[in-house]
Amino acid sequence: MEPKRIREGYLVKRGSMFNTWKPMWVVLLEDGIEFYKKKSDNSPKGMIPLKGSTLTSPCQDFGKRMFVFKITTTKQQDHFFQAAFLEERDAWVRDIKKAIKCIEGGQKFARKSTRRSIRLPETVDLGALYLSMKDTEKGIKELNLEKDKKIFNHCFTGNCVIDWLGSNNSVRNRQEGLMIASSLLGEGYLQPAGELSKNAADGISENPFLDNPDAFYYFPDSGFFCEENSSDDDVILKEEFRGVIIKQGCLLKQGHRRKNWKVRKFILREDPAYLHYYDPAGGEDPLGAIHLRGCVVTSVESSSDAVRKSEEENLFEIITADEVHYFLQAATPKERTEWIKAIQVASRTG
């Protein structure tokens, strides 16, 4: 009997020989991890046995490269993987740790439906919570804060976020407040400002969000800027980056010229509605942007003329108001549907 597939999806993997970072289709099995150059490949490029392996997360070996975790085998071989965002990394880490534990105990991998008290309530809606936090009367007050001879405009402190969540009855304790604040940070509803909060978000601290009066944060569409600061990260945000992040993840994108397919990390923002895509192996600047106002997005059958050479499924197309066509591929039918719905909602916001 073949090992059970527990989780699969695109991750960025560091090469063992040339130390380059490349997107791979990764499959977590009960006894190991297989990685493929692309989802449609029949044979993996490699396999990592989990028996006796250890997992390190967050992995801090690569400076500003975020959401990295490391698997060390019994032969002391290190394998590094990078997820697209915080919750994706944590989901992989949880399942890999559980798979290793099951191997050690001679048990079968099975998901439990029981919920621990420290886990987030299923009723938590991060989008709705974000809107409440931004309420001009009852939300978090934006301030001009000073630290290290720099003025951070339209900011608030980490402990103020936790205090507000508690006073708003959104959490039961500060530990749960940290979990929700970390999720808000990971989904882009909050942004770190200053070295302390940025280092925590990059994985240097145990928790990506800090319940600390010296850790500064801001709303992504607040007009934040830092005076007397030369850091490129703290310049006033460009108009197209001011929208709230509502979805992000990896998709395959067809090139306009060569018509080849490459994995890209996509970040969807609303008001103004933009879909930016990045090299998933690294780089803070986007490779391109799709303005979604007035666009049309639909599912595409693989037999379409535009994708005749592709045998893949789960394709969809975005046609912008300027009649530019973009062809994208999701990993599953469910993921395709989720992206289409999210883009349709964002396209109405401008």
Side-chain angles (χ1 to χ4, degrees):
M1 182 179 295
E2 293 186 359
K4 173 185 175 183
R5 290 193 173 204
I6 299 169
R7 177 178 293 277
E8 56 187 339
Y10 281 110
L11 293 173
V12 179
K13 186 181 184 301
R14 184 174 184 260
S16 56
M17 293 184 62
F18 299 104
N19 298 330
T20 55
W21 294 81
K22 294 184 178 181
M24 293 283 178
W25 181 259
V26 182
V27 178
L28 171 62
L29 306 172
E30 290 178 302
D31 58 352
I33 294 176
E34 295 179 343
F35 49 94
Y36 301 76
K37 188 174 181 180
K38 56 183 180 179
K39 180 175 180 279
S40 59
D41 287 351
N42 294 322
S43 58
K45 284 182 65 65
M47 197 273 189
I48 305 169
L50 290 180
K51 185 176 182 180
S53 295
T54 58
L55 189 146
T56 304
S57 178
C59 177
Q60 306 168 12
D61 295 4
F62 302 100
K64 290 188 176 182
R65 188 175 286 275
M66 299 175 66
F67 313 131
V68 175
F69 61 90
K70 176 175 70 172
I71 300 172
T72 304
T73 67
T74 54
K75 296 182 179 180
Q76 298 304 305
Q77 293 176 328
D78 291 332
H79 298 270
F80 299 92
F81 293 92
Q82 180 185 19
F85 53 95
L86 175 67
E87 290 184 345
E88 182 182 49
R89 182 198 67 186
D90 289 349
W92 277 96
V93 167
R94 283 195 300 269
D95 283 349
I96 293 171
K97 283 185 175 180
K98 185 173 181 180
I100 293 174
K101 187 175 180 180
C102 288
I103 293 173
E104 293 174 350
Q107 302 170 335
K108 281 286 186 180
F109 187 101
R111 299 188 187 278
K112 295 182 179 180
S113 60
T114 55
R115 294 166 56 202
R116 299 179 183 178
S117 60
I118 62 171
R119 291 182 61 187
L120 296 182
E122 295 176 357
T123 56
V124 170
D125 184 335
L126 294 180
L129 188 60
Y130 167 75
L131 294 177
S132 299
M133 296 172 74
K134 289 202 63 186
D135 186 275
T136 54
E137 295 183 1
K138 299 181 180 180
I140 296 176
K141 303 303 179 185
E142 297 180 58
L143 305 170
N144 295 337
L145 304 174
E146 183 176 359
K147 185 176 177 60
D148 299 330
K149 298 181 180 181
K150 301 171 185 176
I151 304 295
F152 296 83
N153 296 268
H154 301 285
C155 269
F156 40 85
T157 63
N159 64 320
C160 283
V161 174
I162 307 301
D163 290 343
W164 183 89
L165 289 170
S167 64
N168 197 46
N169 296 321
S170 298
V171 297
R172 294 167 287 187
N173 49 55
R174 297 191 80 84
Q175 184 181 18
E176 188 173 279
L178 272 174
M179 295 180 69
I180 287 186
S182 296
S183 297
L184 288 164
L185 184 70
E187 290 296 318
Y189 291 111
L190 300 178
Q191 295 290 332
E195 292 302 316
L196 184 62
S197 57
K198 287 180 180 179
N199 287 339
D202 285 343
I204 293 179
S205 300
E206 181 179 351
N207 197 295
F209 188 93
L210 298 178
D211 181 4
N212 190 315
D214 292 323
F216 298 164
Y217 299 90
Y218 64 93
F219 298 124
D221 56 350
S222 66
F224 162 80
F225 66 99
C226 182
E227 299 177 57
E228 301 300 324
N229 191 338
S230 60
S231 170
D232 293 337
D233 294 334
D234 290 333
V235 297
I236 300 177
L237 297 175
K238 294 180 180 179
E239 180 65 25
E240 65 186 64
F241 292 98
R242 294 172 70 92
V244 177
I245 295 176
I246 58 175
K247 189 172 179 59
Q248 56 185 319
C250 288
L251 296 167
L252 278 171
K253 177 184 176 294
Q254 187 186 56
H256 283 291
R257 294 182 179 178
R258 299 182 181 179
K259 304 299 181 183
N260 55 337
W261 293 82
K262 291 186 178 180
V263 179
R264 295 290 181 240
K265 175 184 175 182
F266 285 84
I267 296 181
L268 175 62
R269 292 177 171 88
E270 64 176 355
D271 195 21
Y274 277 89
L275 185 62
H276 293 94
Y277 50 95
Y278 300 74
D279 181 351
E284 298 179 0
D285 296 327
L287 299 175
I290 306 173
H291 191 191
L292 298 176
R293 180 174 177 81
C295 79
V296 176
V297 55
T298 58
S299 298
V300 177
E301 297 301 324
S302 58
S303 59
S304 166
D305 291 341
V307 288
R308 183 173 294 165
K309 294 183 179 180
S310 173
E311 297 178 357
E312 303 298 333
E313 298 179 349
N314 310 317
L315 297 162
F316 62 100
E317 178 185 15
I318 299 173
I319 306 175
T320 69
D322 297 330
E323 296 188 2
V324 180
H325 295 245
Y326 295 87
F327 292 95
L328 308 173
Q329 180 199 353
T332 65
K334 180 182 177 182
E335 185 182 53
R336 175 173 68 173
T337 301
E338 290 174 351
W339 272 104
I340 289 176
K341 288 182 178 179
I343 291 171
Q344 286 175 334
V345 170
S347 68
R348 306 186 191 108
T349 65

